[in-house]
Amino acid sequence: MKHIPHVLALLAVAALSACNTTQGPPAGGGYKPGESAPARISEAEAETLTTQYLDLKGQRTTMVNALNATSDPAARSRYARAIDDLSRNMQPLEYRLRSAGRPVP
């Protein structure tokens, strides 16, 4: 019974460690291994990143709607690839905004 407080302490430390882990940069985001995005960015950069993110998000929504509206297998495949590409392009922008503590739209 005397080991229970130690076990509980270890579990608490493990839980806190799991909560504090930060996701590293996405693949192809322009960062070298072990490198991360700056914690601060200018207002102009935040605005530019947000605008780019919203543009890609709008394009992705258009592709999702087109995918849902067609039954042609070839077209569905093209739309699905386009959606994946747009999502992949959004990841570095989202990572950069989150790293700087900026909201992601």
Side-chain angles (χ1 to χ4, degrees):
M1 291 300 260
K2 66 181 181 178
H3 296 296
I4 291 178
H6 296 322
V7 171
L8 291 176
L10 288 173
L11 288 173
V13 169
L16 286 174
S17 296
C19 292
N20 289 331
T21 57
T22 56
Q23 183 180 5
Y31 295 97
K32 296 174 185 157
E35 189 177 47
S36 60
R40 302 185 92 172
I41 58 175
S42 69
E43 289 299 319
E45 184 177 1
E47 186 176 317
T48 299
L49 292 169
T50 300
T51 300
Q52 291 171 344
Y53 184 86
L54 287 171
D55 181 51
L56 292 172
K57 189 175 181 180
Q59 291 176 43
R60 187 178 66 182
T61 298
T62 300
M63 291 294 122
V64 168
N65 291 338
L67 175 72
N68 292 333
T70 188
S71 59
D72 176 43
R76 291 183 63 79
S77 179
R78 282 192 308 274
Y79 291 137
R81 278 193 308 274
I83 291 165
D84 288 344
D85 289 343
L86 290 164
S87 294
R88 221 176 351 270
N89 291 334
M90 291 168 67
Q91 288 175 348
L93 302 173
E94 183 175 347
Y95 172 71
R96 185 98 164 101
L97 287 167
R98 286 188 194 281
S99 294
R102 301 294 180 133
V104 178

